[in-house]
Amino acid sequence: MKILLLEDDTVLADILVDYLEEEYEVLHTYSMKKALCLSEENTFDLYIFDINVPDGDGISLLKNLRNFNDETPTIFITAFHDTKYLKSAFESGANDFIKKPFDLEELTQRIENIKRHFGLSFLVNITKDLEFDTQNHIVTSKTSLEHLSSKESACLHYLYKNRHRVVSVEEMLQNLWEYDEMPSGDAVRTLIKELRKYVGKEHILNIRGEGYRFE
């Protein structure tokens, strides 16, 4: 699991990085602009953003990311206790909110909740009968075991994590390939065709003119 941490408090940032790196891969920055660059250059499983940083704020950053179809789950951390910030955070697309000071175990539980909700665990039950090993790229049923390519695995995982909505072909191109390696939409359609062989057509629906949705 790969986390982008935006936190300008140097002491807290060091504590969080040391703590999180025991379990996860963490990239940290003090700058909103740098965080935006990192989000464009990498694929993250979770964002942890401070609201108030020297060159901007985490809420504006998340609004920007959401406008570009980045649905990466996000936890805000902040010293603000005013409910208007809580409201703004969730309106920007946040998934959780934690107030300073907080216990590290509380952060762990919030991350675990995000993992359960968005299918970020190592093993994911994507349907009643199918288990998806996201690290080894394997889909297992009671009667078969299918090895996926890394790109097929990434596509299936992305669709599953965003199963509450329709995902467009353009969005998958932006999130599954580097900008200078981006193929045509046919590459996505080919991936979907292969994945349907493994998980069934009934679980990856084609929403005409819009994209695909995992059911």
Side-chain angles (χ1 to χ4, degrees):
M1 183 173 175
K2 193 170 183 178
I3 297 174
L4 174 59
L5 172 65
L6 171 63
E7 173 56 63
D8 71 317
D9 182 321
T10 56
V11 174
L12 178 58
D14 288 344
I15 292 172
L16 289 176
V17 170
D18 288 344
Y19 181 73
L20 293 170
E21 283 187 339
E22 293 181 7
E23 295 287 338
Y24 312 113
E25 179 182 353
V26 182
L27 289 183
H28 167 248
T29 180
Y30 303 100
S31 163
M32 186 186 79
K33 292 179 181 178
K34 179 63 175 177
L36 182 59
C37 291
L38 288 171
S39 70
E40 293 171 347
E41 296 167 358
N42 301 269
T43 299
F44 293 96
D45 299 300
L46 175 66
Y47 295 142
I48 300 177
F49 291 164
D50 191 0
I51 286 184
N52 191 26
V53 290
D55 62 344
D57 66 273
I59 291 175
S60 297
L61 171 61
L62 186 59
K63 284 180 180 178
N64 196 352
L65 292 170
R66 294 294 191 248
N67 285 338
F68 282 94
N69 296 316
D70 185 338
E71 296 295 328
T72 303
T74 304
I75 299 173
F76 275 116
I77 53 178
T78 181
F80 293 119
H81 288 263
D82 193 321
T83 55
K84 74 176 182 180
Y85 292 102
L86 177 64
K87 184 174 183 289
S88 296
F90 285 115
E91 286 178 346
S92 71
N95 302 97
D96 206 347
F97 190 99
I98 188 168
K99 295 178 181 179
K100 302 176 185 176
F102 56 86
D103 187 88
L104 292 173
E105 179 58 28
E106 180 183 355
L107 178 60
T108 294
Q109 292 307 314
R110 292 179 184 274
I111 292 173
E112 288 300 314
N113 185 59
I114 291 285
K115 287 169 65 177
R116 285 191 296 270
H117 185 73
F118 287 90
L120 299 175
S121 299
F122 174 57
L123 293 175
V124 182
N125 292 316
I126 55 175
T127 74
K128 182 177 66 174
D129 300 315
L130 293 174
E131 183 179 75
F132 179 27
D133 181 335
T134 62
Q135 183 169 321
N136 296 303
H137 316 309
I138 297 172
V139 172
T140 307
S141 70
K142 294 179 181 179
T143 59
S144 67
L145 184 151
E146 303 289 348
H147 290 270
L148 310 184
S149 70
S150 58
K151 197 62 74 176
E152 288 170 347
S153 181
C155 182
L156 177 58
H157 202 190
Y158 192 83
L159 286 170
Y160 180 76
K161 288 189 292 184
N162 293 279
R163 60 192 179 279
H164 57 289
R165 64 186 184 87
V166 177
V167 178
S168 69
V169 170
E170 180 182 356
E171 179 180 340
M172 282 191 276
L173 287 171
Q174 291 174 352
N175 285 278
L176 300 180
W177 280 270
E178 298 294 332
Y179 179 77
D180 57 353
E181 299 175 351
M182 197 177 296
S184 70
D186 289 338
V188 171
R189 286 182 276 274
T190 298
L191 284 176
I192 296 296
K193 182 179 179 181
E194 291 302 308
L195 288 175
R196 282 174 163 167
K197 295 178 183 177
Y198 308 136
V199 305
K201 293 181 180 179
E202 70 275 15
H203 293 302
I204 302 179
L205 304 182
N206 181 5
I207 310 302
R208 188 176 298 275
E210 296 183 50
Y212 300 93
R213 187 179 70 235
F214 191 92
E215 285 271 325

